[in-house]
Amino acid sequence: MPTRPPHYRRVADDIEQKIRSGEYLPGQQLPSVSEIGEIYNVARSTAYRAVKELHERNLVYGQQGQGVFVADD
């Protein structure tokens, strides 16, 4: 019986799909961690970990005091 990926990975995978499909464009700001938590109905810590995962995949970058943005290809 296959195990499901953790919640943070499912959130990160969904946001990655939205980036790759063009729903989120390069340079566009992502929703805040709190908003991501609300959108996906997950804890703020889970949303934070999902954003961290997107950083590790080099799909987003952070701007101090500004937020998280979609990276250019």
Side-chain angles (χ1 to χ4, degrees):
M1 180 177 189
T3 60
R4 291 176 52 139
H7 290 298
Y8 79 90
R9 189 162 295 137
R10 291 197 307 253
V11 172
D13 289 347
D14 188 67
I15 295 172
E16 178 177 0
Q17 185 275 324
K18 289 178 179 182
I19 290 170
R20 297 204 183 280
S21 73
E23 188 170 336
Y24 291 127
L25 300 172
Q28 182 177 355
Q29 186 174 7
L30 290 182
S32 70
V33 169
S34 295
E35 291 170 328
I36 289 171
E38 290 176 16
I39 291 166
Y40 290 95
N41 197 30
V42 296
R44 190 176 186 284
S45 60
T46 301
Y48 175 82
R49 191 144 181 217
V51 171
K52 186 175 182 226
E53 177 81 9
L54 294 168
H55 276 281
E56 292 171 1
R57 297 178 190 182
N58 297 313
L59 293 170
V60 299
Y61 63 93
Q63 291 268 357
Q64 185 72 25
Q66 301 288 322
V68 177
F69 299 84
V70 178
D72 293 329
D73 289 343

